[in-house]
Amino acid sequence: RGARLTLSLCPQVSAAAAAAGAFPKRVKVVEVGPRDGLQNEKNVVPTPVKISLINMLSETGLQVIEATSFVSPKWVPQMADHTEVMQGINKLPGISYPVLTPNLKGFQAAVAAGAKEVSIFGAASELFTKKNINCSIEESLERFSEVMTAARAASVPVRGYVSCVLGCPYEGKISAAKVAEVSKKMYSMGCYEISLGDTIGVGTPGSMKEMLTAVMKEVPVGALAVHCHDTYGQALANILVALQMGVSVVDASVAGLGGCPYAQGASGNVATEDLVYMLNGLGIHTGVDLQKLMDTGTFICNALNRRTNSKVSQASCRL
Amino acid sequence: QESQVSGLPEYIKIVEVGPRDGLQNEKVIVPTDVKIELINRLSKTGLPAIEVTSFVSSKWVPQMADHEEVMRGIERHPGVQYPVLTPNLQGFHSAIAAGATEVSVFGAASESFSKMNINCSIEESIEKFEEVAKSARNMNIPVRGYVSCALGCPYEGSIIPAKVAEVSKRLYSMGCYEISLGDTIGVGTPGSMKRMLEAVMKEIPQSALAVHCHDTYGQALANILTAIQV
């Protein structure tokens, strides 16, 4: 397999505890608001606001904050300022600031701008891959292998995302075996972690369990993360099931930033505040200060002139 | 036949509380014919139980002032239950006169909440419910019991599971066929849900329990999943 670049941030999960259906003692929350969140917001956010957002998030105790995407501004205008953002943010020690790099060019630009960790995006659906990046899954993995080679040479860890793990806006149902196959390929290529994304939020606890059971045959649970969308209100229930199966890394977006590009008006990412509220209630350690997180959510919602998608934030609002 | 996620029941009875609990907490007063239309449409969805209205003084709950008209005006589909709230004997008699065939009573696991909500202690409220339960028994009317603040109280904060179990047991003993445990302010999480249910299940059979989760903090479905897994 070659040298795997592991981070000391990985929380510990005992296999016995996971088997018993007990919850992990610690969960690593991966904050995707500044990238996945903002990318799916209508209004283009000025660079200083993005930088302030990330800086505020850095003060909450979050250990991983996805900062931006080194993709062509033609495709993703919201992320056009990726270099400025990367160079402008305070990089606090102990916090990782991964960035998306869809290809070698993006990777090189990212590293030149100071990135120390990158992410690549695969999918469990052929149609989705075709529509999204105009190639097949196999071709996309070939592109990524270039990034992997360069990353390994530069000692840069790579996180792999698999989209459409519980359903695809074009293909509909997605087989758990396919998700396992793509995850295995990306893990074998050298990704230290695979984030399984319910891209359109159609998953429910049953399909989550079925999918994870298949994936866990190919990828160790300690290297898995879940990225649940709340489009159908199922996110926290799905995350709960993932935790019960031993997953201890969960992606979320402050204020639930980022709608669903496939369902107009629908919500997208699960709100980090709501996730942390649940984990706090379960006695699971995250290191995140919920109040500071809510304040950050308030800041970005004001800047975007939108209401928060976080129920916790709405509940804590005094009118 | 095993459910996909192990340990889950094959069938769940959904109790629709929109027309009562839902509308009661809406700002806008809904016209009677709209309420009736709502309930009639719900009757066609396959829901087995639809909480219709509340026989409470219109001074306290103006939204439910038309309780009699609604009760008389709705279509009654066979196989569907149409319970109504009856906070006391007077309400119970009005409900029966208007054609109700099932009633509900509302207790709380918090003294402060009981005082603020219905202006009496838990013990005093139980005494009132016992009167209702007794009359209901004589007339073969099933009674459902609610316990509010099961996972937290807006006044007292944390609520101990043992208290929820105690109040639930009182309601069950007086003849309530089912106890609906309400996370009234939605502060519960899967951990507190599990602990509370474990305490209550020492006193009441699981099949006589229901959960009534509020989504105020976005936790409802996760809490419900926990309840159905327990």
Side-chain angles (χ1 to χ4, degrees):
Chain A
R1 264 208 185 124
R4 184 162 322 282
L5 300 156
T6 50
L7 298 181
S8 57
L9 302 170
C10 282
Q12 302 307 305
V13 175
S14 88
F23 293 106
K25 288 203 169 56
R26 313 176 83 87
V27 161
K28 179 174 85 174
V29 175
V30 174
E31 173 59 48
V32 301
R35 204 282 308 166
D36 191 9
L38 293 185
Q39 186 167 317
N40 289 301
E41 287 288 327
K42 276 189 302 251
N43 304 326
V44 176
V45 175
T47 309
V49 172
K50 286 190 181 113
I51 291 172
S52 290
L53 170 63
I54 296 167
N55 289 345
M56 285 184 78
L57 289 168
S58 291
E59 301 289 337
T60 62
L62 285 161
Q63 294 176 303
V64 186
I65 302 163
E66 199 175 59
T68 186
S69 182
F70 280 78
V71 69
S72 161
K74 229 184 0 184
W75 297 117
V76 188
Q78 179 76 275
M79 299 286 130
D81 54 2
H82 43 234
T83 302
E84 286 173 83
V85 169
M86 202 63 215
Q87 292 178 331
I89 55 175
N90 295 335
K91 296 213 191 81
L92 299 197
I95 300 182
S96 184
Y97 299 92
V99 299
L100 243 73
T101 53
N103 49 40
L104 191 59
K105 185 168 154 218
F107 173 80
Q108 285 160 344
V111 172
K116 298 270 186 292
E117 179 178 332
V118 300
S119 307
I120 57 174
F121 254 82
S125 154
E126 287 289 357
L127 261 179
F128 186 85
T129 306
K130 248 230 142 58
K131 294 257 188 183
N132 230 30
I133 51 177
N134 203 22
C135 62
S136 69
I137 296 179
E138 194 58 46
E139 286 164 341
S140 73
L141 293 178
E142 278 165 23
R143 274 187 218 169
F144 297 147
S145 68
E146 294 185 324
V147 174
M148 299 306 306
T149 307
R152 200 160 27 242
S155 284
V156 172
V158 182
R159 187 187 211 227
Y161 281 90
V162 181
S163 304
C164 298
V165 300
L166 297 177
C168 169
Y170 310 107
E171 284 186 22
K173 205 169 184 315
I174 294 291
S175 81
K178 188 72 184 176
V179 181
E181 183 198 317
V182 177
S183 304
K184 182 182 183 172
K185 288 208 171 107
M186 294 180 79
Y187 186 66
S188 306
M189 282 165 67
C191 292
Y192 76 92
E193 194 168 86
I194 306 295
S195 174
L196 302 163
D198 181 11
T199 307
I200 46 171
V202 291
T204 55
S207 60
M208 171 63 83
K209 186 175 193 202
E210 195 190 332
M211 184 275 295
L212 283 177
T213 303
V215 175
M216 278 162 57
K217 291 191 179 120
E218 310 289 351
V219 180
V221 71
L224 292 178
V226 287
H227 182 114
C228 297
H229 276 202
D230 204 38
T231 322
Y232 291 80
Q234 309 297 302
L236 283 188
N238 293 342
I239 289 165
L240 189 67
V241 166
L243 294 175
Q244 286 172 334
M245 292 179 72
V247 172
S248 58
V249 183
V250 182
D251 298 359
S253 176
V254 65
L257 289 181
C260 179
Y262 306 97
Q264 225 201 13
S267 58
N269 287 301
V270 68
T272 316
E273 298 93 317
D274 298 358
L275 170 67
V276 170
Y277 185 90
M278 182 174 81
L279 296 175
N280 284 351
L282 281 165
I284 295 175
H285 177 84
T286 61
V288 178
D289 182 320
L290 183 55
Q291 187 55 57
K292 287 190 180 156
L293 187 61
M294 291 199 295
D295 293 343
T296 308
T298 303
F299 160 75
I300 190 63
C301 286
N302 286 341
L304 283 167
N305 196 25
R306 59 158 284 176
R307 285 199 71 195
T308 179
N309 264 344
S310 156
K311 289 252 168 97
V312 170
S313 266
Q314 287 168 24
S316 312
C317 229
R318 299 269 174 267
L319 290 166
Chain B
Q1 201 186 349
E2 223 187 313
S3 290
Q4 266 198 304
V5 186
S6 63
L8 296 187
E10 271 175 38
Y11 170 76
I12 293 273
K13 177 175 92 173
I14 297 180
V15 177
E16 172 59 44
V17 300
R20 204 283 306 166
D21 192 13
L23 294 186
Q24 186 167 316
N25 289 301
E26 288 287 329
K27 279 191 295 259
V28 179
I29 298 279
V30 174
T32 308
D33 55 339
V34 173
K35 287 187 181 113
I36 291 171
E37 171 80 12
L38 170 64
I39 295 164
N40 289 345
R41 282 177 182 246
L42 289 168
S43 289
K44 301 193 169 94
T45 62
L47 285 162
I50 303 165
E51 200 175 61
V52 169
T53 187
S54 183
F55 280 77
V56 68
S57 159
S58 48
K59 230 189 351 185
W60 295 118
V61 188
Q63 180 74 276
M64 300 285 128
D66 56 1
H67 43 240
E68 224 162 295
E69 288 174 80
V70 172
M71 198 69 219
R72 292 188 206 274
I74 55 171
E75 289 164 11
R76 306 280 283 260
H77 289 231
V80 183
Q81 295 164 305
Y82 297 94
V84 299
L85 243 74
T86 53
N88 50 39
L89 201 55
Q90 188 194 1
F92 174 78
H93 289 310
S94 305
I96 299 302
T101 50
E102 179 175 330
V103 301
S104 308
V105 295
F106 253 81
S110 154
E111 285 293 355
S112 313
F113 187 84
S114 197
K115 271 236 145 48
M116 295 292 272
N117 224 33
I118 51 178
N119 204 25
C120 63
S121 69
I122 297 179
E123 192 58 44
E124 287 164 341
S125 73
I126 300 261
E127 280 162 22
K128 282 191 205 164
F129 302 148
E130 267 164 351
E131 293 184 331
V132 174
K134 197 161 160 220
S135 291
R137 195 165 33 244
N138 288 340
M139 303 179 67
N140 278 333
I141 299 281
V143 183
R144 188 187 210 225
Y146 281 87
V147 180
S148 304
C149 298
L151 297 177
C153 169
Y155 312 107
E156 287 184 19
S158 201
I159 293 291
I160 60 167
K163 188 70 185 175
V164 183
E166 183 196 316
V167 177
S168 304
K169 184 176 183 178
R170 295 293 297 277
L171 290 172
Y172 189 65
S173 306
M174 75 171 69
C176 292
Y177 77 91
E178 193 169 87
I179 308 297
S180 175
L181 303 161
D183 181 13
T184 307
I185 45 170
V187 290
T189 55
S192 58
M193 170 63 82
K194 186 162 196 236
R195 280 190 295 276
M196 183 274 293
L197 284 176
E198 280 168 352
V200 175
M201 276 160 56
K202 288 192 182 120
E203 309 291 348
I204 296 178
Q206 192 176 10
S207 55
L209 291 178
V211 288
H212 182 116
C213 296
H214 276 205
D215 202 37
T216 322
Y217 290 80
Q219 308 297 304
L221 283 188
N223 292 343
I224 289 165
L225 183 65
T226 301
I228 65 183
Q229 282 175 333
V230 157

